[in-house]
Amino acid sequence: MTTVRREAFGRMPPEEGGGEVEKFILLSDSVRVEILSFGCIITALETKDRDGQFSDVVLGFDTLEGYTRNHPFFGAVVGRVANRIANGRFTLDGKEYQLFLNNGPNSLHGGAKGFDKVLWSPQVLPNGVRFFRLSPDGEEGYPGDLKVWVTYTLSGRELAINYQAQTSKTTPISLTNHAYFNLAGQGSQDVYDHEISIEADSYLPVDDTKIPTGEVAAVQGTGFDLRQPVELGKHLQKFHLDGFDHNFCLHQGQDRRLVARVFHPPTGRTMEVHTTQPGIQFYTGNNLDGSLKGKGAATYPKHSAFCLETQNWPDAVNKPHFPNVLLHPGEEYNHTTWLVFNTA
């Protein structure tokens, strides 16, 4: 049985149009999730350790103000296109589109005011909540009126996130949730003792602005071979890696498949990621620097969390040999990711 509660979380600042922000609390016997109508943000996710003790395993803030200020997309749904588009530029049907550059020379996670920074319209479901918004033609430089639905449902140990969209003009679209996890509990200093595996035979090498070079490289014999579980801290040391911020190429297909698993031996917590998406961005919080005051006055230093963002491949709109990222009128974008929490 899942129960769903809604409560007021705050008001948007007047310069952002005011507007009530609500928090939705999804509760099963083993998982508790809190989600905002602002940015569809997961503000808390509590799950049990092997002794049955609950801890909140996602980074975030105690107040709305934390989320309306500049932060690295904690818990948010990002779009219209997750990840980076080179030079913020792409061409469709002979017309060039220029996006806002918010990540060096590139556009990241939808631009200056992406889906993470807007109010969505909520609808309570028996076991979750569905959010809707219309992204107007030309918003952040993207073509077409885009109707978007993001649905969170909780069933026992499993949180499902479904993304649907329809457009009036051909547009690139790639949606993901950008939650930062630490299975030791948010506020823990690092994720070095986590064991991770990703079911991917290849990954995308990137240039110094984190744009894929276009090569699809085999993981075999490299530090990107995570097909068998590795202890993160030791693995980064062994391969002299500063961290991960890379797309791993998943087996293509529309069916649900297990793509990643994380295990935290001290607490026994495990998290599995299942998805229908073609890629997963593994990010180890390399840009966290301890400057943000998070929940319960916690600070979040470098490598104090990991993200497993299921999505299309970065810059796919400019790379024809990458999976198709275009949505056409009359079609439906429809992807689901499932997060399964357990103990071992």
Side-chain angles (χ1 to χ4, degrees):
M1 252 312 275
T2 299
T3 60
V4 183
R5 282 204 339 264
R6 69 195 295 176
E7 57 187 51
F9 188 70
R11 286 199 78 80
M12 293 298 290
E15 65 271 17
E16 294 286 331
E20 184 78 29
V21 178
E22 290 188 284
K23 176 164 77 176
F24 297 83
I25 298 137
L26 282 44
L27 184 64
S28 73
D29 56 359
S30 45
V31 177
R32 181 179 192 274
V33 190
E34 299 181 3
I35 307 157
L36 299 184
S37 56
F38 175 70
C40 304
I41 290 171
I42 297 175
T43 59
L45 196 157
E46 296 178 13
T47 177
K48 292 177 181 175
D49 65 10
R50 65 165 67 89
D51 299 323
Q53 296 296 308
F54 277 96
S55 274
D56 182 1
V57 298
V58 298
L59 278 54
F61 302 103
D62 290 321
T63 63
L64 177 59
E65 193 187 13
Y67 292 106
T68 56
R69 288 195 303 239
N70 198 24
H71 69 95
F73 306 96
F74 285 152
V77 165
V78 293
R80 214 176 265 203
V81 174
N83 218 304
R84 294 169 180 86
I85 294 177
N87 304 308
R89 205 177 294 145
F90 60 89
T91 301
L92 278 183
D93 302 326
K95 182 180 175 190
E96 187 173 272
Y97 293 87
Q98 180 63 57
L99 311 174
F100 186 80
L101 305 181
N102 61 334
N103 186 249
N106 306 316
S107 184
L108 174 69
H109 293 330
K113 190 176 181 182
F115 290 4
D116 58 299
K117 297 179 181 70
V118 291
L119 270 176
W120 295 62
S121 303
Q123 176 196 355
V124 172
L125 307 175
N127 60 342
V129 58
R130 175 176 295 136
F131 298 101
F132 170 79
R133 81 174 295 251
L134 172 67
S135 170
D137 186 16
E139 182 175 63
E140 286 298 320
Y142 287 96
D145 286 331
L146 187 75
K147 293 178 177 174
V148 192
W149 296 264
V150 177
T151 308
Y152 292 90
T153 47
L154 181 63
S155 171
R157 302 173 181 280
E158 180 175 282
L159 177 68
I161 313 173
N162 173 257
Y163 307 91
Q164 287 167 280
Q166 297 163 357
T167 186
S168 65
K169 293 180 188 169
T170 300
T171 185
I173 178 172
S174 174
L175 301 176
T176 193
N177 179 284
H178 207 310
Y180 286 68
F181 293 96
N182 187 319
L183 298 186
Q186 72 89 27
S188 300
Q189 284 304 288
D190 60 60
V191 288
Y192 297 145
D193 58 355
H194 289 51
E195 294 175 5
I196 182 150
S197 56
I198 297 178
E199 299 278 332
D201 298 327
S202 52
Y203 78 102
L204 300 181
V206 293
D207 67 19
D208 55 8
T209 73
K210 300 283 194 290
I211 291 288
T213 60
E215 180 192 1
V216 181
V219 300
Q220 182 78 37
T222 74
F224 295 87
D225 192 345
L226 304 177
R227 292 173 295 184
Q228 296 299 317
V230 302
E231 188 178 323
L232 197 54
K234 287 180 180 163
H235 187 80
L236 293 177
Q237 275 186 322
K238 177 182 173 183
F239 288 95
H240 308 292
L241 296 169
D242 184 52
F244 287 95
D245 191 2
H246 295 78
N247 177 81
F248 287 76
C249 308
L250 305 176
H251 299 292
Q252 305 291 303
Q254 281 304 300
D255 297 336
R256 169 177 175 160
R257 55 211 184 279
L258 172 66
V259 297
R261 186 173 185 274
V262 187
F263 172 47
H264 184 243
T267 60
R269 285 193 185 92
T270 65
M271 173 176 133
E272 287 179 358
V273 182
H274 303 245
T275 194
T276 59
Q277 292 273 26
I280 188 166
Q281 186 85 2
F282 178 37
Y283 174 54
T284 48
N286 313 329
N287 298 320
L288 298 174
D289 60 7
S291 62
L292 291 171
K293 273 278 190 291
K295 290 181 278 192
T299 56
Y300 300 137
K302 182 175 178 172
H303 296 163
S304 61
F306 65 88
C307 305
L308 287 165
E309 305 156 63
T310 54
Q311 56 187 253
N312 206 320
W313 299 6
D315 201 33
V317 72
N318 291 312
K319 298 195 166 57
H321 61 295
F322 283 10
N324 173 45
V325 71
L326 297 179
L327 180 69
H328 302 278
E331 297 175 346
E332 182 171 65
Y333 175 91
N334 192 335
H335 278 290
T336 308
T337 293
W338 297 263
L339 304 175
V340 184
F341 299 90
N342 232 313
T343 52

